[in-house]
């Protein structure tokens, strides 16, 4: 896209549609980040950890079972040492524990403790409640279509950004 002429950004290949979406994506990002969604949800749920530690707990929750540090890192799209630091702090606080991998006795898996699982459940109920409230006026069909298209967009954008080979576009 060039910035020349009155038709800039309005090509026949959908650039105009994309240009129209950009402010809404910026607005969504602001609502989530500047609105401190994660921090507010942790506070409302009574969970006193930092954002990266909460991401580890949510990754474990989503997995439905214990994971290796590398698997958690892949789910969070960060590097392993970052997750190791978070796991060490969560273990120190009694929110996760290391268990032996039944498939490889030398390896360790990370799983939430009862306290860590309860904290994550409270956090998830809070966030999902807020999302549910925001979508309360939507039809079931609109919710399904939105969920499907959002997942597709995030997957496609993530794959495209990964093709750049730059770790700077990975969330922390």
């Amino acid at each position: 896209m060039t910035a020349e002429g009155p038709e800039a950004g309005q090509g026949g290949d959908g650039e105009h549609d994309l240009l129209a979406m950009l402010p809404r994506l910026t607005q969504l990002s602001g609502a989530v980040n500047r609105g401190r969604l994660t921090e507010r949800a942790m506070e409302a749920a009574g969970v006193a950890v930092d954002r990266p530690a909460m991401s580890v707990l949510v990754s474990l929750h989503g997995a439905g079972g214990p994971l290796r540090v590398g698997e958690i890192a892949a789910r969070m799209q960060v590097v392993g040492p970052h997750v190791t630091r978070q796991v060490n702090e969560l273990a120190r606080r009694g929110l996760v524990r290391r268990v032996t991998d039944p498939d490889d006795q030398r390896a360790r898996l990370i799983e939430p403790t009862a306290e860590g699982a309860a904290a994550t459940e409270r956090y998830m109920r809070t966030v999902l409640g807020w999302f549910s409230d925001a979508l309360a006026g939507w039809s079931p069909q609109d919710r399904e279509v939105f969920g499907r298209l959002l997942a597709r967009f995030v997957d496609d954008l993530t794959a495209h950004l990964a093709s750049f080979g730059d770790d700077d576009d990975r969330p922390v």
Side-chain angles (χ1 to χ4, degrees), residues 2-168:
T2 65
E4 300 171 10
E7 290 92 26
Q10 297 181 16
D13 60 0
E15 285 181 6
H16 180 71
D17 293 342
L18 295 175
L19 192 57
M21 274 191 267
L22 193 56
R24 295 308 229 164
L25 291 171
T26 301
Q27 185 180 6
L28 176 61
S29 177
V32 171
N33 293 321
R34 284 190 305 277
R36 299 181 35 247
L37 177 85
T38 301
E39 292 83 358
R40 288 179 188 207
M42 288 187 302
E43 184 178 320
V47 180
V49 298
D50 62 13
R51 179 188 274 214
M54 191 73 243
S55 294
V56 169
L57 290 172
V58 168
S59 293
L60 289 169
H61 176 81
L67 295 173
R68 290 184 180 199
V69 167
E71 293 170 319
I72 298 169
R75 287 169 181 257
M76 291 175 58
Q77 299 182 345
V78 298
V79 294
H82 172 75
V83 172
T84 299
R85 285 190 298 276
Q86 297 304 320
V87 166
N88 288 342
E89 179 59 21
L90 288 167
R92 186 188 70 71
R93 297 183 60 191
L95 298 172
V96 300
R97 67 177 154 254
R98 291 173 173 84
V99 296
T100 302
D101 184 338
D103 297 328
D104 181 353
Q105 297 296 307
R106 300 167 296 168
R108 297 289 174 258
L109 299 173
I110 311 303
E111 70 178 7
T113 62
E115 184 181 349
T120 308
E121 277 295 324
R122 289 191 313 272
Y123 169 81
M124 295 298 292
R125 276 196 313 272
T126 300
V127 171
L128 293 177
W130 292 345
F131 287 172
S132 181
D133 290 349
L135 298 174
W138 291 36
S139 72
Q141 180 183 6
D142 284 350
R143 290 170 70 137
E144 186 275 327
V145 169
F146 174 68
R148 186 171 37 80
L149 292 175
L150 181 61
R152 180 178 172 190
F153 176 72
V154 170
D155 289 347
D156 291 349
L157 182 61
T158 301
H160 181 69
L161 293 176
S163 72
F164 297 152
D166 182 4
D167 290 344
D168 290 338

